[in-house]
Amino acid sequence: MRKFNVNVNGKSYVVEVEEAGEGTPASVSAPVSAPAPAAAPAPKAPAGGSVVKAPMPGLVLKLAVANGSKVKHGDKIVVLEAMKMENDIVASADGIVTFLVKEGDNVAGGADLASIG
């Protein structure tokens, strides 16, 4: 028997495969282990605030201001790297910024980056 790790639709399974000789039908056993645990859900934006969304998928390179800082509409708050380019993400309103991501996070297009309330 040989063990292999197999990924199916994002779930990881360990399977055992028996080597078959000539004329012997091969068989595969059912998954031996449980799927890998799911990633923790992203934090939710507080109600009543203006949400700043990622315009494209990318990597959060830098949070330009401290969490809890007072910002004005148009202030740079996040630097997002996408396709080898750095993109400044700006505040969509005046208020106190609460970040929903951290430096080094990969985000999808449309993901919530921060809330301003």
Side-chain angles (χ1 to χ4, degrees):
M1 289 272 189
R2 293 180 62 187
K3 289 185 179 184
F4 294 92
N5 291 324
V6 179
N7 289 316
V8 179
N9 295 329
K11 294 182 181 178
S12 182
Y13 298 94
V14 176
V15 294
E16 291 183 345
V17 179
E18 182 177 335
E19 291 185 45
E22 287 186 38
T24 306
S27 65
V28 177
S29 66
V32 177
S33 64
K44 298 286 183 190
S50 173
V51 177
V52 179
K53 294 188 175 283
M56 65 201 80
L59 172 70
V60 177
L61 282 183
K62 181 179 178 184
L63 302 179
V65 297
N67 202 28
S69 295
K70 192 171 203 173
V71 295
K72 295 188 181 222
H73 179 82
D75 287 353
K76 176 170 67 170
I77 59 170
V78 176
V79 178
L80 184 69
E81 179 185 297
M83 298 176 16
K84 307 278 186 205
M85 294 180 61
E86 293 184 10
N87 301 278
D88 293 340
I89 309 302
V90 298
S92 56
D94 294 351
I96 305 296
V97 66
T98 302
F99 288 107
L100 306 173
V101 294
K102 61 186 180 308
E103 290 180 3
D105 283 354
N106 282 303
V107 295
D112 295 346
L113 300 176
S115 175
I116 301 173

